[in-house]
Amino acid sequence: MNRFRMLFDKKKPAQETVKVEATVIHEATMKLKGNTIEKMVVPEPGKTILQHAKDHEIDWQHMCKRGTCARCRCQVLEGAEFLEEPTEAEHKRLDPEEFDEGFRLGCQALVKTSGIISARNKTYF
């Protein structure tokens, strides 16, 4: 073996391995996906999905905020149990099949308790 190769082929001393245990904090989060913006926010009981989206500058479509236009229609993918029951306005505007698929009106879907919630704005048009 030539001298140059002997210099660079020497075994390097083993590096000391440090074991670090990760602490996972399971904080309640709300994942909101608008038209082009998606953010994780902390859910606040008493606020609607639409209010959360507006507060965090998520491009969530909406117009009336009364549950009549359905521009804020969203699909709750996870955490429906942390939301209040659908309102009368939602029952008037959404079909039973839509509820079965997890659809709600963002202006009406009120956070009941903290938990992991995921929703995306999904309008008709």
Side-chain angles (χ1 to χ4, degrees):
M1 187 180 279
N2 71 29
R3 279 175 79 171
F4 182 77
R5 191 165 182 187
M6 286 174 42
L7 286 172
F8 291 99
D9 280 352
K10 289 182 180 178
K11 289 189 174 185
K12 294 180 182 177
Q15 292 183 357
E16 188 176 317
T17 305
V18 178
K19 185 177 179 179
V20 177
E21 291 186 32
T23 304
V24 179
I25 300 172
H26 295 284
E27 185 176 321
T29 57
M30 178 183 277
K31 180 180 177 181
L32 298 177
K33 184 175 182 178
N35 192 30
T36 61
I37 300 171
E38 182 176 314
K39 289 186 181 179
M40 300 291 283
V41 303
V42 177
E44 298 178 46
K47 290 175 78 174
T48 65
I49 289 176
L50 178 60
Q51 287 171 321
H52 283 87
K54 288 182 65 169
D55 289 350
H56 296 281
E57 299 177 353
I58 300 168
D59 55 346
W60 203 276
Q61 294 184 36
H62 68 284
M63 286 182 77
C64 72
K65 299 181 194 169
R66 295 183 311 272
T68 57
C69 76
R71 296 278 303 198
C72 64
R73 177 180 176 253
C74 62
Q75 188 172 25
V76 177
L77 305 168
E78 182 179 11
E81 65 272 18
F82 301 114
L83 301 174
E84 293 287 350
E85 292 297 316
T87 64
E88 185 178 330
E90 288 178 283
H91 283 289
K92 287 180 180 179
R93 188 64 177 90
L94 300 174
D95 294 329
E97 296 81 27
E98 289 176 292
F99 287 115
D100 293 342
E101 294 173 18
F103 286 100
R104 298 285 304 268
L105 297 179
C107 69
Q108 300 293 304
L110 196 66
V111 175
K112 177 173 49 176
T113 59
S114 291
I116 297 172
I117 303 167
S118 176
R120 65 179 175 171
N121 188 211
K122 197 165 182 183
T123 63
Y124 293 110
F125 35 88

